[in-house]
Amino acid sequence: MKQDLVTLRQFEERAHVIKAMAHPSRLIMIDELSRGERCVCDLRDLVGADISTVSKHLAVLKKVGIVEDEKRGKNVYYRLKVPCVLNFFQCIESVLAANK
């Protein structure tokens, strides 16, 4: 029984990470961060949203461990904490291609 609970918890944690990515703006930011760290202002310009909205999206990604940040002066820079998340993008593209 305990084994089943651990497995259920793992699936719930996976779902939490997937839900955190389940927004077009967050996917755009993850894709951009795959090219290197960016300041919030760069990501704001990229997704076309205000700083507050972009910061909230980044907070969601940070909470689940996808990104990490570093404050330098007045700017906050973000980078991927676990670049392997990009493998998930490749998998999604394979699913989309298979369904065409």
Side-chain angles (χ1 to χ4, degrees), residues 8-40:
L8 178 58
R9 174 177 276 151
Q10 288 172 330
F11 283 112
E12 289 171 346
E13 289 172 353
R14 290 174 185 174
H16 191 64
V17 171
I18 292 168
K19 285 179 186 179
M21 292 191 297
H23 190 284
S25 293
R26 292 183 205 142
L27 293 175
I28 290 167
M29 288 187 268
I30 292 169
D31 183 67
E32 182 65 19
L33 293 172
S34 73
R35 294 168 188 74
E37 72 176 14
R38 299 287 185 267
C39 75
V40 175

Side-chain angles (χ1 to χ4, degrees), residues 53-78:
T53 301
V54 170
S55 293
K56 287 176 186 174
H57 284 308
L58 289 165
V60 170
L61 296 173
K62 183 178 175 183
K63 185 176 180 181
V64 298
I66 293 173
V67 301
E68 56 189 2
D69 65 343
E70 181 181 334
K71 185 167 180 150
R72 293 187 214 136
K74 294 181 180 180
N75 292 320
V76 180
Y77 290 82
Y78 282 83

Side-chain angles (χ1 to χ4, degrees), residues 1-10:
M1 184 69 173
K2 187 174 181 180
Q3 180 73 14
D4 293 342
L5 292 177
V6 171
T7 302
L8 178 58
R9 174 177 276 151
Q10 288 172 330

